[in-house]
Amino acid sequence: MDLRVIDKSDTELSIEIAGEDHTFMNVIKGALLETEGVTAATYDVNPEQSGGQTDPVLTIKTQESVDALDALEDGTDRVIEKADSLTDAFEAAA
């Protein structure tokens, strides 16, 4: 997975995530919206409205007291935890 920072401030982060589609982007967006201090999390994959970009761009906005990069880390940790829980439940059911 290749990431490219498009814009970064203390409370806002926009990154391009190469090679991903709606499946991954919806998961990370959902996890970010559950993360304390995140006020908005969106992504865009529409090249006509994005100046020709073809890879999704994730944008995170946070409260003043939360660094956007830290929020991204917390959100990705949440995705890992949920995936691990699903794996454990699946193995227990098998």
Side-chain angles (χ1 to χ4, degrees):
M1 177 181 299
D2 290 328
L3 305 176
R4 182 175 65 92
V5 175
I6 296 171
D7 190 32
K8 164 82 172 87
S9 70
D10 289 343
T11 60
E12 189 168 339
L13 175 66
S14 291
I15 57 172
E16 185 177 59
I17 304 176
E20 295 302 333
D21 58 17
H22 290 289
T23 304
F24 176 78
M25 298 307 294
N26 274 313
V27 170
I28 192 68
K29 179 186 87 169
L32 285 164
L33 290 172
E34 294 173 353
T35 300
E36 189 172 334
V38 172
T39 59
T42 62
Y43 71 93
D44 178 28
V45 294
N46 190 339
E48 284 98 32
Q49 295 178 352
S50 310
Q53 138 266 334
T54 57
D55 288 316
V57 174
L58 177 69
T59 301
I60 305 164
K61 295 181 182 182
T62 63
Q63 297 171 348
E64 291 292 324
S65 61
V66 177
D67 185 86
L69 199 53
D70 291 340
L72 178 60
E73 183 178 5
D74 291 346
T76 56
D77 287 345
R78 183 182 303 275
V79 171
I80 291 167
E81 290 170 10
K82 287 184 176 188
D84 288 345
S85 293
L86 177 63
T87 300
D88 293 345
F90 178 79
E91 288 174 352

